[in-house]
Amino acid sequence: MRATLMYGAGDVRVETVPDPVLRAPTDAIVRTMRACVCGSDLHPYRSMHPSATGRPVGHELVAVVEEVGPEVRTVRVGDLVVVPFAYADNTCAFCREGLQTSCPHGGFYGNHEVGGLQAELARIPFADGSLAVVPDVDPASASDALLHSLLALSDVYLTGYHAAHVGAVGPRTTVAVVGDGAVGLSAVLASRRMGAERIILMGRHTDRTDLGRRWGATDVVAERGGEGVERVLELTGGEGAHVVLEAVGHMPAYEQSFGIVRPGGVISRVGVPQYESAPVGFGSLFGKNARLAGGPAPVRAYQDGAIADVLAGAIDPGLVFDTVLSLDDAAEAYRLMDSRASLKVSLRP
Amino acid sequence: MRATLMYGAGDVRVETVPDPVLRAPTDAIVRTMRACVCGSDLHPYRSMHPSATGRPVGHELVAVVEEVGPEVRTVRVGDLVVVPFAYADNTCAFCREGLQTSCPHGGFYGNHEVGGLQAELARIPFADGSLAVVPDVDPASASDALLHSLLALSDVYLTGYHAAHVGAVGPRTTVAVVGDGAVGLSAVLASRRMGAERIILMGRHTDRTDLGRRWGATDVVAERGGEGVERVLELTGGEGAHVVLEAVGHMPAYEQSFGIVRPGGVISRVGVPQYESAPVGFGSLFGKNARLAGGPAPVRAYQDGAIADVLAGAIDPGLVFDTVLSLDDAAEAYRLMDSRASLKVSLRP
């Protein structure tokens, strides 16, 4: 099959590799309908040390089940499925609590044990737990728009949703979203779904913030750093936002976040932190009783509801895909996203 | 009057200074019945740069109202009052939400604008907002035990309570308390009041952990650092504690906290952080969706309920006071607490 490997910073190649095979009786093999590149893929794309063997990449996928192991009970060959970006058994204590990213049997795609999902085929561990079946849709007749909205449930939309969920966004919440990438925009959409009365989007790319406005942003702040903080404070009567959704992962976004969070409010992070230590003392979080939340989104916990919302036309998270390329052009997809020429690129085999 | 001033690390003096006077029509002057030394007073006691003029210190007080300004409406001369460690108007948006420590008109005691409370008399700004009246108690006949339990509501017990409250401790919670000082022990008592089924106290001073057991600790872990983390993980089936109450403020306590918090759990800090930056990235908080909460306790929000609990005999937070000295011996009180010879020292004029 064709699969995407990263050999180092800026070095992405699509190569022919052996097809994956069932290894455990709970595995499934799925055939890709749409894969894509994630903002978090850009972190290694900018920093990975050269590797002689390459690393398989990708963790978002809409696919059709091609083969299942003898102990797979609920997923069937031919099912259209959304693949959560982390696999999990979905039966342990953490999974039952909705924290599938902490499943002791779970893990992440994109290594030599379980391959990457920017590929024609993939082996899915714990298929019953790790796949969300899309009911009553014939894969052959699914539109691009539908496939893209389903693909957004693999990670990006539900990562934005997780930020809003753990931030407890509700009707009386003033939300500030830091970052106008696909996750930030998704956080806007999720916040609107949760009834937020005010959603301030911090971003400076008009084509992106326009989608943010369409999805519910009531204010857009283009300024960054100290100026951006001042602007949000002005907009909120000097108090700041009840909930800050941080969808970037770099330190300036974090600094902006603690500058604009209201006393007693919460910073909910879903941008993978590119730092380990950060300010949390009296002058940043502690003094104003601001809270910090977030982490890798347990998207499996939210997928069944979100699939129903997509099928009902209540949400259209697939609009983040502004470019469609062939899987063979994955390197170009990375370039377009790295240069911000594309918001998010969909790949089809 | 006699008042306590700190002139530098290890240099505490009780001196005669001018009596405080009403400055604003909403002020009150109160006369001390009991004051005390806080664990947080030990931070400057260990690190303060020498000062020629000294700094008034102390922020915990049970007192009798001696004089009120013309705009004081609810507090009356002769009332027995508990003084929250931060003053606040108790009418603004933050105060109404129960976040009096973020009152824009509020502030802290222990400076030349508003004096310290380790003194015979004190000026209380916004007396109606800043004083909690103890109903139906004649100050002259109040026992030492009652005065001490009320004094604990100035800060220490309700700071422990705040930790448990923002950590959302409840019946199905496994709590771990880091620190066996007066705040940590108070956090044990508050957690028991909230119904926590398991309370693991981390501390190595048997006289202190014995009080912790009396107040509801189900397990005591004497080990620190990596060994302490291992022990708590053993006690919790490898998962960690749902809620970690961090009542120290030093980095090793923080590191211990993120080591023992369960995925999806919360670290609630009330020890004033003696650091500004700390680990919060993938390897500490983010990867396991652990949350961080806490800050200066808005004790005024909790005082009316806690005063009723004390008067009803439901809680006895005054047991943290193991030593009583004269206010003139405040320097000795600091020495006893700094050397850990005393858990907490009560001062009477």
Side-chain angles (χ1 to χ4, degrees):
Chain A
M1 68 162 180
R2 303 289 283 168
T4 308
L5 291 102
M6 192 179 289
Y7 281 83
D11 186 0
V12 168
R13 308 178 204 170
V14 178
E15 297 179 340
T16 298
V17 303
D19 286 0
V21 294
L22 297 173
R23 290 202 204 171
T26 50
D27 283 353
I29 304 296
V30 301
R31 180 170 292 276
T32 296
M33 294 201 67
R34 292 289 185 283
C36 59
V37 180
C38 181
S40 68
D41 292 326
L42 297 178
H43 295 312
Y45 185 74
R46 289 165 184 161
S47 64
M48 182 181 165
H49 289 292
S51 153
T53 53
R55 196 172 79 188
V57 283
H59 54 260
E60 295 162 284
L61 197 61
V62 168
V64 175
V65 178
E66 181 139 314
E67 189 184 357
V68 297
E71 289 178 20
V72 173
R73 301 274 176 249
T74 58
V75 173
R76 295 177 188 180
V77 172
D79 280 350
L80 179 64
V81 290
V82 179
V83 184
F85 72 80
Y87 59 88
D89 62 27
N90 218 17
T91 58
C92 72
F94 289 107
C95 286
R96 289 197 309 272
E97 290 172 23
L99 196 59
Q100 284 85 348
T101 45
S102 290
C103 174
H105 302 119
F108 296 103
Y109 295 98
N111 51 67
H112 290 286
E113 178 66 24
V114 288
L117 301 186
Q118 291 160 6
E120 283 182 288
L121 295 164
R123 179 176 75 87
I124 309 296
F126 302 104
D128 284 333
S130 305
L131 294 174
V133 175
V134 181
D136 306 324
V137 174
D138 174 11
S141 64
S143 69
D144 254 28
L146 175 60
L147 290 176
H148 285 161
S149 279
L150 293 171
L151 180 57
L153 308 185
S154 226
D155 182 344
V156 57
Y157 173 66
L158 292 178
T159 288
Y161 183 95
H162 180 60
H165 176 74
V166 298
V169 169
R172 281 169 300 183
T173 313
T174 293
V175 178
V177 176
V178 179
D180 60 4
V183 173
L185 298 175
S186 296
V188 169
L189 177 57
S191 296
R192 193 197 60 185
R193 287 286 293 169
M194 295 177 192
E197 68 181 24
R198 190 164 192 192
I199 304 172
I200 301 168
L201 173 60
M202 304 191 78
R204 52 171 56 199
H205 301 84
T206 315
D207 49 337
R208 300 178 176 203
T209 56
D210 284 351
L211 178 55
R213 286 190 191 274
R214 175 171 170 177
W215 274 351
T218 52
D219 304 84
V220 169
V221 170
E223 293 87 347
R224 294 184 182 186
E227 278 179 60
V229 169
E230 284 310 308
R231 187 80 191 104
V232 174
L233 292 177
E234 271 170 39
L235 287 171
T236 54
E239 292 187 353
H242 296 103
V243 183
V244 179
L245 308 179
E246 196 279 89
V248 179
H250 290 292
M251 184 53 74
Y254 180 84
E255 290 169 341
Q256 209 158 288
S257 298
F258 71 69
I260 63 178
V261 69
R262 189 174 184 276
V266 57
I267 299 169
S268 184
R269 294 180 298 164
V270 287
V272 181
Q274 301 304 299
Y275 50 81
E276 187 57 39
S277 282
V280 296
F282 207 97
S284 46
L285 300 186
F286 188 87
K288 57 182 179 181
N289 271 281
R291 290 164 290 138
L292 189 61
V299 298
R300 186 68 192 87
Y302 312 130
Q303 276 173 332
D304 294 338
I307 288 171
D309 279 353
V310 163
L311 294 179
I315 53 172
D316 47 8
L319 293 181
V320 292
F321 293 101
D322 58 355
T323 308
V324 181
L325 292 176
S326 158
L327 175 63
D328 277 326
D329 296 325
E332 175 65 5
Y334 277 81
R335 273 191 293 275
L336 290 172
M337 285 182 60
D338 181 45
S339 68
R340 294 185 153 257
S342 274
L343 176 55
K344 195 166 174 74
V345 181
S346 165
L347 298 170
R348 61 180 161 204
Chain B
M1 68 161 179
R2 302 290 283 167
T4 309
L5 291 102
M6 192 179 289
Y7 281 82
D11 185 0
V12 169
R13 309 177 202 170
V14 178
E15 298 179 340
T16 298
V17 303
D19 286 0
V21 295
L22 297 174
R23 288 201 204 172
T26 49
D27 283 353
I29 303 296
V30 301
R31 181 169 291 277
T32 295
M33 294 201 66
R34 291 290 183 283
C36 59
V37 180
C38 183
S40 69
D41 292 327
L42 297 178
H43 295 312
Y45 185 73
R46 290 165 183 162
S47 64
M48 183 181 164
H49 290 291
S51 154
T53 54
R55 195 173 81 190
V57 283
H59 54 259
E60 294 161 287
L61 197 61
V62 168
V64 175
V65 178
E66 180 137 315
E67 188 184 359
V68 297
E71 290 177 19
V72 173
R73 302 276 176 249
T74 58
V75 173
R76 296 175 187 182
V77 171
D79 279 350
L80 178 64
V81 290
V82 179
V83 184
F85 71 80
Y87 60 87
D89 61 27
N90 217 17
T91 59
C92 72
F94 289 107
C95 286
R96 288 197 310 272
E97 290 171 24
L99 196 59
Q100 284 85 347
T101 45
S102 290
C103 174
H105 302 119
F108 295 103
Y109 294 98
N111 50 66
H112 289 286
E113 179 65 23
V114 287
L117 301 186
Q118 290 160 6
E120 282 182 289
L121 295 164
R123 179 176 75 87
I124 309 295
F126 302 103
D128 284 334
S130 305
L131 294 174
V133 176
V134 182
D136 306 323
V137 173
D138 174 12
S141 64
S143 69
D144 253 28
L146 175 60
L147 290 176
H148 285 161
S149 279
L150 293 171
L151 180 57
L153 308 184
S154 226
D155 182 344
V156 57
Y157 172 66
L158 292 178
T159 288
Y161 183 94
H162 180 59
H165 177 74
V166 299
V169 169
R172 282 170 300 182
T173 312
T174 292
V175 178
V177 176
V178 179
D180 60 3
V183 173
L185 298 175
S186 296
V188 170
L189 176 57
S191 296
R192 191 197 61 183
R193 287 286 293 167
M194 295 177 193
E197 68 182 24
R198 189 161 192 194
I199 303 172
I200 302 167
L201 173 60
M202 303 190 77
R204 52 171 58 198
H205 302 82
T206 313
D207 49 338
R208 299 179 176 204
T209 57
D210 283 351
L211 178 54
R213 286 188 190 275
R214 174 170 169 178
W215 274 350
T218 53
D219 305 84
V220 169
V221 169
E223 294 86 347
R224 293 184 183 186
E227 276 179 63
V229 169
E230 284 310 307
R231 187 81 191 100
V232 173
L233 292 177
E234 271 171 40
L235 287 171
T236 54
E239 292 186 355
H242 296 103
V243 183
V244 179
L245 307 179
E246 195 280 90
V248 180
H250 289 292
M251 184 53 73
Y254 179 84
E255 290 169 340
Q256 209 157 289
S257 297
F258 72 70
I260 63 178
V261 68
R262 188 175 184 274
V266 58
I267 299 169
S268 184
R269 295 179 299 164
V270 288
V272 181
Q274 301 303 300
Y275 50 82
E276 186 57 41
S277 283
V280 297
F282 208 98
S284 46
L285 299 186
F286 188 87
K288 57 182 179 181
N289 270 280
R291 289 164 292 139
L292 189 61
V299 298
R300 186 68 192 86
Y302 313 129
Q303 276 173 332
D304 295 339
I307 288 172
D309 279 353
V310 164
L311 294 179
I315 52 173
D316 48 7
L319 293 181
V320 292
F321 293 101
D322 58 354
T323 309
V324 180
L325 293 176
S326 159
L327 174 63
D328 277 327
D329 296 324
E332 175 66 5
Y334 276 81
R335 274 192 293 275
L336 289 172
M337 284 182 61
D338 182 45
S339 67
R340 293 186 153 256
S342 273
L343 176 56
K344 194 164 174 77
V345 181
S346 165
L347 298 171
R348 63 180 160 205

